[in-house]
Amino acid sequence: AMSLAQAAIKADPKISLAHTVLAELYRHKQQFAKARDEITASLALQPGNAQCLRELALLSLIHGKAEEALQNAETALQLDPEHYQSYIVKGIVQLFKEQYDNAAGLFDKASALGAPDSVLTVNYKFRAWIGLDEEDKIIDYCQQMMERADDRMKIIVHYWMGRGSSLKGKLIE
């Protein structure tokens, strides 16, 4: 994917999507300066692109700029309120700001819009519930997941059920 995006930019540097793809790839490779350069280039080409703003929000959070991240996440959500990823990104920002009620609500909205239950997104939900001292929700959610989980996921679900049970009633500071 990286070589294709780079080739697309070389052929036409005004392809916003290619810059966005590179930004996401660089973020995943933890090359954050390059990711920020690419997302900035993409936003210069398409200033109101919600996908770019979501990516910029994550990069801002990585750089410790929570308020900037929140602003970008909110703008992305306003521009693209029907995409579950807008809610996930804003929820992640709220989670890191320890706004657990807001984060949990945003993750619920993302699920209602069809967000897939990846290990990462489920982990974010669980962290919000732990922050709210609502470990029963973790156990209930895990029991529902168990019915549709493959063997690998069942191991993770069992772990979270145990963790939810052991944390029950203990607020983590």
Side-chain angles (χ1 to χ4, degrees):
M2 185 169 286
S3 59
L4 289 174
Q6 289 169 332
I9 291 170
K10 188 174 183 178
D12 184 357
K14 293 183 180 180
I15 300 174
S16 176
L17 181 58
H19 289 286
T20 303
V21 168
L22 275 180
E24 290 179 26
L25 292 169
Y26 283 135
R27 178 175 52 84
H28 287 286
K29 293 177 78 173
Q30 297 184 1
Q31 295 177 356
F32 303 125
K34 288 181 179 181
R36 194 165 189 85
D37 290 345
E38 292 299 335
I39 208 62
T40 300
S42 186
L43 275 167
L45 296 167
Q46 282 190 317
N49 185 311
Q51 182 181 358
C52 293
L53 289 165
R54 289 189 293 262
E55 186 65 26
L56 186 58
L58 293 173
L59 289 167
S60 297
L61 194 59
I62 288 167
H63 285 99
K65 299 177 181 178
E67 291 307 315
E68 180 182 305
L70 182 59
Q71 183 180 23
N72 290 320
E74 286 175 348
T75 303
L77 183 58
Q78 290 169 0
L79 292 169
D80 196 4
E82 298 303 315
H83 197 294
Y84 64 81
Q85 196 66 33
S86 296
Y87 294 91
I88 290 173
V89 170
K90 187 173 178 188
I92 291 168
V93 174
Q94 293 290 355
L95 185 63
F96 281 91
K97 290 175 61 81
E98 297 182 354
Q99 300 294 317
Y100 301 117
D101 275 333
N102 294 339
L106 289 160
F107 295 142
D108 287 344
K109 180 68 176 171
S111 292
L113 288 172
D117 283 335
S118 70
V119 174
L120 188 60
T121 57
V122 169
N123 185 32
Y124 290 138
K125 280 184 196 181
F126 290 177
R127 286 185 54 202
W129 289 336
I130 289 169
L132 292 169
D133 203 24
E134 295 179 350
E135 289 78 15
D136 283 338
K137 286 186 177 182
I138 294 173
I139 296 165
D140 293 342
Y141 190 85
C142 287
Q143 288 171 338
Q144 292 172 13
M145 283 184 71
M146 208 49 132
E147 296 171 11
R148 60 185 192 277
D150 60 20
D151 288 341
R152 180 181 173 275
M153 190 62 167
K154 283 182 182 179
I155 294 168
I156 295 167
V157 171
H158 278 292
Y159 165 79
W160 274 106
M161 287 175 77
R163 186 164 181 210
S165 294
S166 68
L167 293 173
K168 206 170 181 180
K170 298 176 187 173
L171 184 63
I172 296 176
E173 297 290 330

